[in-house]
Amino acid sequence: MSIEQALVERSNNQCELCAATENLSVYEVPPVTEAHSDKCIYTCQTCKDQVEGTTDLTATHWHCLNDSMWSQTPAVQVVAYRMLSRLAADNVWAQDALDMIYLEEDTLAWAKKVLAENDDIKHVDSNGVVLQAGDTVTLIKDLDVKGSSLTAKRGTAVRNIGLTSNPEHIEGRVDGQRIVILTKFVKK
């Protein structure tokens, strides 16, 4: 039986994170040393894109983790833990869920392995100062926000920033809107 067939059977042909039934595919949960269904989850494209960081996180979508974090499948537990960790800084519900989740010792080590690797990423501002989650930064030039008519003005303070897996990007709120900002356009 192929990995995908095993996952279809295990998941009842639905996303193991949000229970969607369309655009499903196999996601190998890093780090992957060998391909095996125990190291993969069956997920929809929306979840997969946000897990991989190719699209912005939509916090409301991830309320599904309140159910999927209780899965008996370690790979699903790992992804739920990682996503809750990413969401916890800005979402009380995610922090509460993270406080409740229980993982076996080896599953927790697997979940933290990639998180620890991401902690090695250094985000630096335009002056080379290392940025940390929760810092306040100031924009050094006017920035047009893609997909919006908003222009973030030079001198705007962005409080309580979030770090991403890309060292050139940070996340922050400007005029009530959560945006991704290039680190070369901010100073601490």
Side-chain angles (χ1 to χ4, degrees):
M1 181 180 328
S2 74
I3 291 174
E4 186 166 10
Q5 289 171 328
L7 294 178
V8 166
E9 190 174 303
R10 180 179 80 196
S11 70
N12 242 359
N13 202 27
Q14 58 185 342
C15 178
E16 292 184 275
L17 298 172
C18 74
T21 57
E22 295 181 9
N23 298 321
L24 302 173
S25 62
V26 175
Y27 172 71
E28 293 182 328
V29 181
V32 178
T33 52
E34 64 179 79
H36 191 279
S37 62
D38 290 344
K39 301 288 185 184
C40 300
I41 64 172
Y42 205 48
T43 184
C44 69
Q45 196 61 47
T46 302
C47 288
K48 189 175 186 178
D49 289 344
Q50 292 184 45
V51 167
E52 292 177 335
T54 57
T55 59
D56 293 336
L57 284 179
T58 307
T60 53
H61 174 78
W62 292 104
H63 285 278
C64 61
L65 294 176
N66 287 318
D67 293 325
S68 57
M69 71 182 205
W70 301 112
S71 171
Q72 296 300 310
T73 306
V76 176
Q77 294 172 347
V78 166
V79 174
Y81 182 90
R82 289 176 182 171
M83 294 309 295
L84 289 169
S85 296
R86 286 173 56 188
L87 292 161
D90 297 323
N91 299 282
V92 174
W93 67 267
Q95 184 59 55
D96 290 344
L98 197 56
D99 292 342
M100 287 188 296
I101 195 171
Y102 174 78
L103 302 175
E104 293 292 333
E105 213 172 289
D106 57 335
T107 306
L108 183 60
W110 178 17
K112 288 184 173 181
K113 185 169 177 69
V114 171
L115 294 176
E117 290 171 4
N118 288 343
D119 288 345
D120 293 340
I121 297 171
K122 298 286 185 233
H123 293 74
V124 294
D125 71 1
S126 60
N127 296 324
V129 176
V130 175
L131 301 172
Q132 296 185 5
D135 282 348
T136 298
V137 296
T138 306
L139 301 179
I140 61 171
K141 71 176 264 182
D142 289 354
L143 301 173
D144 292 326
V145 179
K146 288 184 181 177
S148 168
S149 60
L150 175 70
T151 299
K153 298 291 185 191
R154 184 175 138 219
T156 300
V158 181
R159 291 174 177 72
N160 196 23
I161 63 168
L163 304 180
T164 67
S165 57
N166 183 338
E168 297 176 0
H169 295 165
I170 60 170
E171 293 181 345
R173 287 203 181 278
V174 175
D175 289 341
Q177 200 171 7
R178 187 113 180 124
I179 61 170
V180 175
I181 306 167
L182 295 175
T183 56
K184 66 183 178 182
F185 298 130
V186 299
K187 67 178 181 179
K188 190 168 176 181

